[in-house]
Amino acid sequence: QSVLTQPPSASGTPGQRVTISCSGSNSNIGTDYVYWYQQLPGTAPKLLIYRNNQRPSGVPDRFSGSKSGTSASLAISGLRSEDEADYYCATWDDRLSGPCWVFGGGTKLTVL
Amino acid sequence: EVQLVESGGVVIQPGGSLRLSCAASGFTFEHYGMHWVRQAPGKSLEWVSLITWDSGSTYYADSVKGRFTISRDNSKNSLYLQMNSLRPEDTALYYCAKDIGRKGDYLDLWGRGTLVTVSS
């Protein structure tokens, strides 16, 4: 059971806009930035969005992130077949035992 | 080229010990915190541990606390994970990941992983 809750799947057709949600609590998303990672089949995760809505160099502006309260979202516009991947949200969770980086359960995006 | 290369993954019996290594290149290793993250087959990502740039602080997931030890050798540009009392649920692909900061900010670069299988 992941600390951050994501829908297990999402889908869209080429050119569509899809959004993936990530729900947390006051001890994680509510008090820290949210990050998004893309994991293409058979590869390592890649940073997609940092500090809620910033894109690393090389990430297309079709990808955007947002955060409100204890929830966050990743939006992908102009969907392309190469966007088919697993997407994970992540952040720090403030625990009594010390900081802990936590991931969502992941959302498998299918491009129909 | 910035690169992280993990090694040391094997098939090992429950209760056994194993040390994973991660060789870093293409960046000033001693300036950054480093993480281990694992992914069980077909499952989500699970953060395992963080070590700060100077080894001054280490942090662990509750699931591995007391069994795993993270360490680094900045003179060798290397990160390690000593894994003791291994359990079948530790079976996973173990990734080494670089932090953007010295003490834990966010993970910005990942290796390709090394597979650990705990089975009798």
Side-chain angles (χ1 to χ4, degrees):
Chain A
Q1 196 94 7
S2 301
V3 173
L4 305 179
T5 302
Q6 297 180 236
S9 63
S11 63
T13 56
Q16 267 192 330
R17 182 178 187 271
V18 297
T19 60
I20 297 171
S21 62
C22 176
S23 178
S25 68
N26 287 326
S27 69
N28 42 67
I29 293 179
T31 53
D32 212 315
Y33 294 113
V34 176
Y35 304 83
W36 290 91
Y37 295 87
Q38 178 192 58
Q39 187 174 32
L40 296 169
T43 70
K46 167 192 162 187
L47 179 65
L48 197 64
I49 297 288
Y50 67 97
R51 293 179 181 161
N52 298 338
N53 54 20
Q54 303 299 302
R55 283 186 308 277
S57 173
V59 173
D61 60 6
R62 300 186 297 105
F63 295 91
S64 62
S66 63
K67 172 189 150 178
S68 177
T70 58
S71 294
S73 291
L74 172 70
I76 309 172
S77 60
L79 198 61
R80 304 176 68 162
S81 57
E82 57 260 41
D83 298 333
E84 192 159 285
D86 293 324
Y87 293 84
Y88 296 92
C89 59
T91 188
W92 288 103
D93 191 272
D94 189 15
R95 301 179 177 180
L96 287 175
S97 55
C100 177
W101 184 259
V102 291
F103 291 98
T107 298
K108 183 176 184 62
L109 175 64
T110 301
V111 181
L112 301 169
Chain B
E1 180 191 3
V2 179
Q3 198 171 11
L4 297 169
V5 179
E6 303 90 339
S7 62
V10 293
V11 178
I12 189 166
Q13 291 191 339
S17 296
L18 187 62
R19 188 174 90 150
L20 304 183
S21 299
C22 171
S25 60
F27 64 98
T28 307
F29 180 73
E30 63 185 359
H31 285 180
Y32 300 96
M34 295 293 296
H35 303 254
W36 286 100
V37 177
R38 67 185 181 183
Q39 186 170 34
K43 301 296 185 181
S44 174
L45 301 167
E46 180 187 16
W47 176 80
V48 173
S49 185
L50 160 68
I51 186 167
T52 56
W53 65 286
D54 60 351
S55 302
S57 294
T58 56
Y59 305 96
Y60 299 92
D62 290 343
S63 58
V64 306
K65 198 171 295 184
R67 300 188 299 122
F68 290 10
T69 302
I70 191 171
S71 62
R72 65 190 295 162
D73 185 337
N74 287 343
S75 69
K76 295 182 179 178
N77 290 342
S78 293
L79 176 72
Y80 307 101
L81 185 67
Q82 178 66 42
M83 310 164 67
N84 299 331
S85 303
L86 282 161
R87 305 166 180 169
E89 55 264 35
D90 295 319
T91 294
L93 187 63
Y94 283 75
Y95 293 104
C96 161
K98 171 185 164 293
D99 199 279
I100 194 72
R102 292 179 180 249
K103 297 186 176 183
D105 193 340
Y106 62 92
L107 291 67
D108 73 327
L109 177 71
W110 302 59
R112 292 186 176 183
T114 187
L115 183 62
V116 174
T117 303
V118 184
S119 174
S120 53

